[in-house]
C-alpha cells in the first residue's frame, strides 16, 4: 500500500513534481520514504543515513503524515537544531499541507525560555529589572508585542538585540512558572503552545525538549509533550550527548543567584519577615561565593573531573571528614535550607513562594547528588564557561535508559542523519543508544551527488604525527599551498581553539585572501561575511563542523587539520572509555574511532551541497595512511578520488578531468 502512496507523491508526474519548481527525481529519496513507511507498518525502528541532497525531510514527512492520519496516533519529529525545526515548520509542512489531498495539522514546540511570560512581564513593570534608557525602550517594545503576538516566541522580536539582558527575567522558563495558579494561565503562550500540540497530527520539537519530556514523563512532574505513537529523530547523531545531559543533574552559580534574586522579589509585606529573608539571602550569597571560588581547578574555561575526594576524605581512623569544599557545601546547604523553611510558610497563599520552595528543594537535592557521588554509573565534573560555573553529573551509558524509556515503549522510532554509519555499519549507533538488533533495521540512502566527479580528497605526502611540535608549522605551509590552488574559498576546520588560532596567525599573514576566524563575531555574522566576500577563508572549530550550508563556488575547499578524536581527558569521554574497558571492550576501537569517523563525515559534509558544487577535501593528518584504523575513516567516506598531488587537485574544478587519481572502494 505504501508503495503506491510514495510513487504518487514522489514519482515523475507525482504531486511534488506538479507543485515544486525545482523538482528532481531522486531514487534515494523514494527508497528512504519506502523504508520509513515500512517501519511504520511493521512497528519497528529504523536507522537511515541520508546525505545532503537526498531530500530526507520530505522522505520521512510523507510516511509520518500517512501513519498519523491512518492510525490516529500523533507523530513527533525531533530535530537537533532550531534551524531545521524552522525549515520544517515554515517551508516543508506548509508545502505538504497545500499539495496533499488529505488534510493534516502540525504544531511547533520550543523550549519554554523561547517564550515570553505574560505574568512576569506584568510584574516586571513594577520591579527594577532594567538598566539604562535603551533597555526601557526595548522593554516597552516587548510589552506592546506581548499584547499582540499569537505565539509569544522571542524569534518574532527581529528588531531587538539578540542578547536582551532582561529576557531571562520575563521568559516562561519552568523554574519560575506557577502553573494553573497563575492569573494568566489561560492566555499564557505555553498553554496555547500545548493546546495546539494536543490538537496536532504532527508535532515538531527539538532534541532538548524531547529528552526534557522523556526525563520527567511518568513522574510527579507529568509531561512536557503530548502523547505520541512514533518519533522521527533528524540529526540523530546528536542524541547520545543530549540524552545524557537530560538524564543527569546540574547546579550552577547562576542558579544560586536567581534563587536569591527571586526571594527578594516575593510580594511579602511583613517587614520582619522581609528583613529575615534579606539576612538569609545575604548568607546564601556569601556561602555561594565561598563555595564556587574554592574550585581552584577551574581557573580557565573547560571541563574538569570531580575526583571522589574533592568534597570529603577518609582519615587514618577510617572516618569521613569534609574538605574545605565539603565544608563550604555544608554551609551553603544550611543557608538554603533556612530559606526554604522561611518561604514555605507562604506557599499556600502565594504561588510564587510555592514555586521557589520547589526550586530550592530541587537545587539542594541535585547538589547533594553531585557532592556525595553515590551513583557509580554517573560521571561527575565541573564546567566553566565565562562567568558561569556548572557542577554536573550524567549517566556514563544511556543505552539502558533509552531502551527502557523510549525504544521498548514506542512502536516506531526513525533515526536519520547524514552521518550515522562507521565502516559501513550502524553497530556503533545501535549499541550506544540501546536499540534492539532484532527490532531495528539500517539503511543508507543512495546519494544524489557524484562525488567521484565533484570532489577529490587531498592527503599531503609527508606530514609529521599531529602530536609532534612541528605539526602546526608544516600544516600551515600545506594550507598556504592548498589555498593558492583553490584561490581561497575555503573552510579551515580545526579540532581545537588553540589549533584554530595558531593556524589563523600562521596562514593569514602569508596569503592574499581575506581571512576570518571564529570568535571575532557571531556565528551568523561570520557566515554572512564569508558568503559575501570573494575568495574568503574561514578558520573555525567544532560549531562549524555541522549544520552549515554554503552552496556554490564560494566554498570550494574544506581543510581539516587533524582527525576529530574526542579529547581523551574530557571527563565524559574518559568515563565512557573506562566503562567500555571495564565491560571487556576496547574503548579506542569501540568508541573513539567510530565517533571520530562520524565527526569527520560531518566536517566533510560542508563541501558538496548541490549537484553543481565541486571542490577539494584536504585532510592533513597522516594517520589516515600510517595507522591501521585509517582505512576505517577512508572507507566510511563517500566514494571519491584520493591524491597527494596538488596538480590533480586543480583538475577537480575542470569537470572534464577525472583521471590520474585513486578512487576509494
Amino acid at each position: 500500500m505504501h508503495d503506491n502512496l510514495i510513487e504518487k507523491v514522489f514519482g515523475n508526474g507525482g504531486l511534488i513534481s506538479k507543485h515544486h519548481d525545482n523538482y528532481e527525481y531522486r531514487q534515494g529519496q523514494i527508497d528512504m520514504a519506502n523504508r520509513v513507511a515500512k517501519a511504520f507498518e511493521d512497528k519497528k525502528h529504523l536507522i537511515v543515513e541520508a546525505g545532503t541532497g537526498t531530500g530526507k525531510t520530505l522522505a520521512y514527512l510523507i510516511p509520518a503524515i500517512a501513519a498519523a492520519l491512518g492510525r490516529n496516533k500523533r507523530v513527533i519529529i525531533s530535530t537537533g537544531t532550531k534551524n531545521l525545526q524552522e525549515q520544517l515548520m515554515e517551508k516543508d509542512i506548509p508545502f505538504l499541507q497545500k499539495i496533499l489531498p488529505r488534510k493534516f495539522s502540525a504544531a511547533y514546540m520550543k523550549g519554554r525560555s523561547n517564550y515570553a511570560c505574560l505574568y512576569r512581564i506584568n510584574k516586571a513593570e513594577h520591579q527594577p529589572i532594567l538598566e539604562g534608557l535603551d533597555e526601557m525602550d526595548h522593554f516597552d517594545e516587548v510589552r506592546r508585542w506581548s499584547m499582540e503576538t499569537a505565539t509569544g516566541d522571542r524569534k518574532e522580536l527581529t528588531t531587538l538585540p539578540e542578547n536582551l539582558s532582561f529576557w531571562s527575567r520575563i521568559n516562561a522558563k519552568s523554574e519560575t512558572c506557577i502553573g494553573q495558579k497563575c492569573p494568566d494561565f489561560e492566555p499564557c503562550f505555553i498553554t496555547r503552545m500545548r493546546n495546539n500540540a494536543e490538537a496536532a497530527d504532527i508535532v515538531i520539537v527539538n532534541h532538548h525538549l524531547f529528552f526534557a519530556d522523556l526525563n520527567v514523563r511518568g513522574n510527579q512532574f507529568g509531561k512536557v509533550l503530548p502523547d505520541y505513537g512514533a518519533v522521527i529523530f533528524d540529526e540523530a547523531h546528536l542524541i547520545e550527548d543530549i540524552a545524557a545531559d537530560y538524564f543527569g543533574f546540574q547546579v550552577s552559580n547562576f542558579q544560586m543567584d536567581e534563587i536569591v534574586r527571586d526571594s527578594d522579589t516575593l510580594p511579602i509585606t511583613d517587614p520582619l519577615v522581609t528583613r529575615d529573608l534579606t539576612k538569609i539571602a545575604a548568607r546564601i550569597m556569601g556561602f555561594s561565593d565561598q563555595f564556587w571560588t574554592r574550585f581552584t581547578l577551574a581557573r580557565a574555561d573547560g571541563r574538569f573531573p570531580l575526583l571522589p575526594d574533592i568534597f570529603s576524605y577518609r582519615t587514618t581512623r577510617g572516618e569521613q571528614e569534609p574538605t574545605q569544599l565539603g565544608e563550604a557545601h555544608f554551609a551553603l546547604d544550611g543557608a538554603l535550607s533556612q530559606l526554604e523553611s522561611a518561604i514555605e510558610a507562604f506557599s499556600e497563599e502565594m504561588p510564587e513562594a510555592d514555586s521557589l520552595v520547589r526550586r530550592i528543594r530541587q537545587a539542594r537535592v541535585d547538589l547533594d547528588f553531585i557532592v556525595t557521588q553515590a551513583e557509580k554509573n554517573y560521571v561527575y565534573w565541573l564546567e566553566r564557561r565565562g562567568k558561569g560555573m556548572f557542577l554536573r553529573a550524567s549517566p556514563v551509558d544511556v543505552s539502558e535508559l533509552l531502551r527502557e524509556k523510549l525504544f521498548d515503549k514506542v512502536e516506531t522510532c526513525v533515526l536519520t542523519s547524514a552521518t550515522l554509519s562507521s565502516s559501513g555499519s550502524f553497530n556503533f549507533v545501535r549499541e550506544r543508544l540501546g536499540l534492539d538488533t532484532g527490532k531495528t533495521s539500517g539503511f543508507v540512502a543512495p546519494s544524489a551527488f557524484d562525488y567521484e566527479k565533484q570532489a577529490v580528497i587531498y592527503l599531503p605526502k609527508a606530514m609529521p604525527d599531529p602530536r609532534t611540535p612541528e605539526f602546526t608549522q608544516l600544516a600551515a605551509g600545506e594550507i598556504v599551498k592548498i589555498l593558492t590552488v583553490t584561490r581561497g574559498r575555503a573552510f579551515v576546520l580545526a579540532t581545537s581553539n588553540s589549533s584554530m588560532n595558531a593556524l589563523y596567525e600562521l596562514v593569514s599573514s602569508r596569503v592574499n585572501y581575506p581571512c576570518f576566524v571564529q570568535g571575532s563575531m557571531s556565528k551568523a555574522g561570520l557566515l554572512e561575511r564569508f558568503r559575501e566576500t570573494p575568495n574568503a577563508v574561514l578558520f573555525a572549530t567544532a560549531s562549524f563542523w555541522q549544520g552549515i550550508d554554503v552552496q556554490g563556488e564560494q566554498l570550494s575547499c574544506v581543510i581539516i587539520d587533524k582527525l576529530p578524536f574526542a579529547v581523551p581527558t574530557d571527563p565524559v569521554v574518559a568515563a565512557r572509555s573506562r566503562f567500555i574497558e571495564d565491560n571487556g571492550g576496547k574503548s579506542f576501537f569501540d568508541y573513539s574511532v567510530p565517533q571520530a569517523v562520524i565527526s569527520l563525515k560531518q566536517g566533510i559534509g560542508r563541501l558538496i551541497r548541490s549537484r553543481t558544487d565541486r571542490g577539494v577535501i584536504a585532510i592533513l593528518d597522516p594517520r589516515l595512511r600510517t595507522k591501521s584504523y585509517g582505512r576505517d575513516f577512508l572507507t566510511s567516506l563517500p566514494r571519491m578520488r584520493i591524491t597527494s598531488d596538488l596538480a590533480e587537485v586543480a583538475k577537480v574544478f575542470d569537470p572534464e578531468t577525472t583521471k590520474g587519481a585513486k578512487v576509494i572502494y
Side-chain angles (χ1 to χ4, degrees):
M1 171 209 136
H2 67 253
D3 291 345
N4 293 337
L5 169 70
I6 302 305
E7 191 58 37
K8 188 177 169 186
V9 175
F10 291 104
N12 285 311
L15 288 171
I16 294 178
S17 70
K18 287 176 184 171
H19 293 90
H20 203 297
D21 294 340
N22 300 320
Y23 167 77
E24 289 177 355
Y25 181 88
R26 295 182 239 193
Q27 190 59 51
Q29 185 179 49
I30 291 175
D31 292 348
M32 177 176 171
N34 277 314
R35 293 296 289 262
V36 174
K38 188 167 186 345
F40 280 118
E41 280 185 17
D42 296 346
K43 298 180 181 176
K44 293 200 169 176
H45 305 316
L46 173 68
I47 305 173
V48 183
E49 183 167 276
T52 309
T54 307
K56 66 181 163 67
T57 53
L58 293 183
Y60 62 65
L61 278 172
I62 299 292
I65 292 161
L69 295 175
R71 298 182 193 177
N72 198 27
K73 281 189 176 177
R74 184 181 294 106
V75 176
I76 300 279
I77 315 280
S78 180
T79 74
T81 58
K82 282 185 193 172
N83 284 349
L84 181 53
Q85 215 181 351
E86 286 164 6
Q87 179 204 312
L88 287 166
M89 203 62 204
E90 294 169 13
K91 181 183 166 191
D92 297 332
I93 293 283
F95 173 69
L96 294 177
Q97 284 174 325
K98 189 173 77 174
I99 71 166
L100 292 179
R102 281 193 71 182
K103 297 301 165 199
F104 72 94
S105 57
Y108 179 21
M109 297 181 79
K110 289 185 186 177
R112 296 178 58 119
S113 60
N114 289 283
Y115 298 91
C117 172
L118 294 169
Y119 180 67
R120 297 183 84 201
I121 288 173
N122 290 333
K123 278 187 69 180
E125 289 188 60
H126 313 291
Q127 291 175 355
I129 70 164
L130 305 175
E131 298 172 9
L133 293 173
D134 282 351
E135 286 205 350
M136 289 179 178
D137 291 341
H138 293 156
F139 179 79
D140 281 341
E141 191 171 335
V142 170
R143 188 175 48 77
R144 286 194 300 273
W145 162 80
S146 71
M147 292 186 272
E148 299 162 0
T149 174
T151 68
D153 188 344
R154 165 78 176 82
K155 183 174 75 80
E156 294 177 3
L157 294 167
T158 52
T159 59
L160 293 184
E162 208 169 309
N163 55 342
L164 281 178
S165 64
F166 60 83
W167 181 256
S168 65
R169 307 286 296 273
I170 61 164
N171 69 18
K173 59 188 174 188
S174 58
E175 305 93 271
T176 52
C177 179
I178 56 177
Q180 295 187 7
K181 296 174 184 174
C182 179
D184 293 304
F185 181 75
E186 287 304 323
C188 169
F189 297 119
I190 300 297
T191 305
R192 291 189 217 178
M193 175 185 74
R194 287 181 169 168
N195 289 342
N196 289 340
E198 287 286 354
D201 303 304
I202 303 289
V203 178
I204 314 290
V205 304
N206 61 41
H207 297 340
H208 291 274
L209 195 62
F210 182 86
F211 287 105
D213 170 79
L214 196 65
N215 185 37
V216 300
R217 193 166 275 264
N219 67 20
Q220 72 268 29
F221 296 110
K223 59 188 182 183
V224 178
L225 307 180
D227 291 335
Y228 47 87
V231 192
I232 295 174
F233 295 101
D234 201 339
E235 300 171 310
H237 60 282
L238 302 170
I239 284 177
E240 182 182 11
D241 286 338
I242 294 173
D245 278 350
Y246 281 92
F247 290 131
F249 299 81
Q250 175 181 295
V251 180
S252 73
N253 58 334
F254 295 145
Q255 201 174 342
M256 297 296 122
D257 294 348
E258 286 189 352
I259 284 172
V260 166
R261 189 189 66 206
D262 291 345
S263 71
D264 282 343
T265 59
L266 287 172
I268 296 171
T269 52
D270 186 327
L272 292 175
V273 173
T274 53
R275 187 192 64 190
D276 287 345
L277 286 177
T278 302
K279 282 182 181 175
I280 299 170
R283 293 183 71 217
I284 290 173
M285 288 304 291
F287 289 140
S288 178
D289 285 346
Q290 278 183 31
F291 179 69
W292 297 106
T293 53
R294 285 184 181 177
F295 285 101
T296 52
L297 70 166
R299 295 296 188 201
D301 283 8
R303 288 158 51 127
F304 310 90
L306 293 173
L307 299 176
D309 60 356
I310 192 169
F311 295 106
S312 68
Y313 63 96
R314 190 174 294 278
T315 66
T316 52
R317 298 187 305 277
E319 297 168 350
Q320 285 295 124
E321 285 288 334
T323 61
Q324 281 195 325
L325 250 177
E327 288 171 351
H329 164 248
F330 185 77
L332 175 59
D333 183 68
L336 286 169
S337 175
Q338 276 188 302
L339 187 64
E340 181 187 327
S341 299
I343 295 173
E344 195 169 14
F346 298 89
S347 284
E348 285 194 20
E349 62 189 76
M350 201 178 291
E352 297 96 332
D354 185 47
S355 167
L356 187 53
V357 165
R358 278 189 282 110
R359 284 165 58 198
I360 297 169
R361 201 167 284 154
Q362 190 62 52
R364 291 181 64 208
V365 167
D366 293 350
L367 192 51
D368 183 67
F369 183 91
I370 294 166
V371 167
T372 55
Q373 298 193 23
E375 289 287 341
K376 298 304 173 194
N377 60 333
Y378 276 68
V379 54
Y380 304 87
W381 78 99
L382 169 71
E383 183 168 357
R384 178 163 195 155
R385 295 198 305 267
K387 294 179 180 177
M389 300 271 278
F390 304 83
L391 284 179
R392 306 183 70 175
S394 61
V396 176
D397 179 64
V398 294
S399 60
E400 284 303 317
L401 283 164
L402 290 177
R403 180 182 289 122
E404 175 196 325
K405 288 176 169 279
L406 177 62
F407 298 124
D408 285 350
K409 287 190 174 176
V410 178
E411 282 182 356
T412 300
C413 294
V414 176
L415 291 79
T416 185
S417 168
T419 56
L420 287 173
S421 69
S422 174
S423 300
S425 164
F426 291 113
N427 287 345
F428 175 69
V429 166
R430 193 184 283 121
E431 288 167 12
R432 297 303 304 167
L433 300 182
L435 284 151
D436 184 343
T437 309
K439 200 190 170 184
T440 309
S441 57
F443 172 64
V444 178
S447 174
F449 303 147
D450 186 344
Y451 282 94
E452 282 183 60
K453 288 184 178 174
Q454 290 181 249
V456 65
I457 293 179
Y458 172 67
L459 305 178
K461 278 178 188 162
M463 285 292 292
D465 187 287
R467 291 160 291 192
T468 58
E470 62 268 25
F471 177 81
T472 302
Q473 282 282 356
L474 290 168
E478 277 295 336
I479 293 169
V480 170
K481 288 190 229 169
I482 296 162
L483 294 178
T484 304
V485 171
T486 65
R487 303 192 307 282
R489 306 184 296 171
F491 276 4
V492 179
L493 299 178
T495 52
S496 69
N497 283 324
S498 57
S499 294
M500 174 190 75
N501 289 321
L503 290 172
Y504 172 73
E505 292 297 331
L506 289 166
V507 173
S508 58
S509 59
R510 294 164 62 186
V511 296
N512 291 320
Y513 306 116
C515 291
F516 306 121
V517 64
Q518 184 180 333
S520 58
M521 63 175 77
S522 74
K523 184 176 173 181
L526 267 179
L527 263 181
E528 196 60 32
R529 286 281 296 277
F530 179 83
R531 287 191 179 107
E532 290 174 352
T533 308
N535 307 96
V537 181
L538 173 61
F539 292 77
T541 148
S543 61
F544 279 81
W545 282 67
Q546 54 188 312
I548 301 294
D549 188 11
V550 180
Q551 291 188 21
E553 290 185 357
Q554 187 60 23
L555 180 58
S556 296
C557 175
V558 170
I559 302 170
I560 291 169
D561 69 336
K562 301 170 189 172
L563 295 178
F565 286 109
V567 179
T569 54
D570 178 87
V572 176
V573 174
R576 287 175 181 170
S577 298
R578 275 195 307 274
F579 180 85
I580 292 166
E581 298 283 343
D582 291 347
N583 285 276
K586 295 181 178 176
S587 61
F588 184 72
F589 292 103
D590 295 346
Y591 178 71
S592 300
V593 169
Q595 188 193 48
V597 165
I598 287 170
S599 296
L600 181 68
K601 287 165 71 175
Q602 278 289 331
I604 282 171
R606 298 316 98 217
L607 183 67
I608 303 297
R609 309 297 295 179
S610 76
R611 292 190 189 203
T612 55
D613 282 356
R614 294 182 180 278
V616 57
I617 293 152
I619 306 172
L620 309 184
D621 193 326
R623 290 175 292 182
L624 281 171
R625 284 178 160 160
T626 61
K627 300 292 184 184
S628 59
Y629 56 77
R631 187 151 188 83
D632 291 341
F633 284 88
L634 292 175
T635 55
S636 298
L637 302 180
R639 182 183 163 100
M640 281 179 281
R641 293 171 290 141
I642 298 179
T643 184
S644 294
D645 184 349
L646 279 170
E648 292 294 335
V649 170
K651 292 179 184 177
V652 80
F653 302 106
D654 176 0
E656 299 304 313
T657 309
T658 55
K659 296 178 182 176
K662 189 174 107 184
V663 176
I664 299 176
Y665 289 97

